[in-house]
Amino acid sequence: MKTNDRAIWEIIKDIFTYINYIFLSRERRLSSNISLVKEKYWFRKLSERNLNIYLVIEEDKELKDYLSSRKKVRKLLRDKNERQNFKKWLETKTII
């Protein structure tokens, strides 16, 4: 029974987190999503090779739009092909 209660609590918590996320400003969503991406090893390696990566993200509307999307960032975090495409896309916008 305890595991069911725990599962229900996790679902409720996820729902409230998502509702809160929906009402965040675009900048807050961007910041939140970039924080998630920053935690990943592959992104840390990219940022070590190119210190201007955050400046490029801040100045590029397409990158900001992409990283402001919860759906796109979730796919980026879990899909290897999406990561490879994202890295190539960054290469076209920066010199990595």
Side-chain angles (χ1 to χ4, degrees):
M1 190 64 172
K2 293 270 186 193
T3 57
N4 288 340
D5 291 343
R6 180 78 176 155
I8 291 170
W9 172 247
E10 290 298 320
I11 291 169
I12 292 170
K13 189 172 79 171
D14 289 345
I15 290 169
F16 280 108
T17 300
Y18 181 70
I19 290 170
N20 186 34
Y21 181 85
I22 290 172
F23 292 104
L24 289 177
S25 69
R26 183 172 178 266
E27 276 67 34
R28 294 284 306 253
R29 283 192 302 246
L30 177 64
S31 176
S32 174
N33 289 342
I34 288 176
S35 294
L36 291 173
V37 173
K38 278 179 166 180
E39 294 175 2
K40 300 301 179 183
Y41 176 80
W42 61 267
F43 190 81
R44 287 195 310 264
K45 286 298 183 186
L46 279 177
S47 62
E48 286 172 8
R49 287 187 298 193
N50 185 350
L51 301 176
N52 295 327
I53 197 166
Y54 299 108
L55 181 59
V56 170
I57 290 170
E58 185 61 36
E59 292 179 353
D60 190 281
K61 183 179 177 351
E62 288 179 310
L63 281 171
K64 284 172 72 170
D65 288 345
Y66 180 90
L67 291 170
S68 294
S69 167
R70 178 179 174 96
K71 180 180 176 182
K72 290 176 183 175
V73 169
R74 290 181 80 181
K75 185 174 182 180
L76 174 66
L77 295 177
R78 71 174 186 273
D79 186 303
K80 185 177 180 178
N81 291 330
E82 186 71 15
R83 276 193 301 279
Q84 294 302 334
N85 292 336
F86 182 77
K87 289 176 189 179
K88 288 177 187 174
W89 189 30
L90 276 177
E91 287 174 2
T92 66
K93 296 185 178 289
T94 62
I95 300 173
I96 296 179

